[in-house]
Amino acid sequence: MAVAIAFGSQGSAASSSSVATIAGMTFNAAASDRLIAACIANETADNTTDIVTAVTIGGVSATKRAESNTSFLARSWIWVAAVPTGTTGDVVITLNTSDATMSCATHSITGAEEVPTDSDAATAASSVADISITALTIPTDGA
């Protein structure tokens, strides 16, 4: 099956607390394999204060897939969740601070499998037993 990516909608919300809700975002047509990517951005005065710590998309907890921190005091994130039902929903952004204005664009993705996170790889790597080599013979010129 081919992967299809479609723009949903964009919006923004200001928050005086540590949670910003961008209501009524478009998720496009429902599909059993649909992922929703929330592309989130803000501009900060010192490039360190406004950090997204959690996101829900249509009530489903999302996983952070990318983060950018530029020298122009802008930050952006991509959070993804499997949201197979509904054509619209809220994107709720939790921050480590308050008084932030967040912008968001949603994109639906179908025909793709969810990609493991870095923490999934780290968990898998940490569960592999150590390998011990007691003797190794390498022929001349690798032949």
Side-chain angles (χ1 to χ4, degrees), residues 56-100:
T56 61
I57 303 171
V60 178
S61 292
T63 301
K64 181 173 63 173
R65 295 298 181 196
E67 179 175 2
S68 174
N69 182 4
T70 70
S71 61
F72 296 108
L73 303 179
R75 295 183 76 98
S76 58
W77 302 263
I78 299 174
W79 290 70
V80 178
V83 186
T85 61
T87 57
T88 63
D90 296 348
V91 174
V92 180
I93 303 163
T94 303
L95 301 152
N96 68 332
T97 186
S98 59
D99 297 319

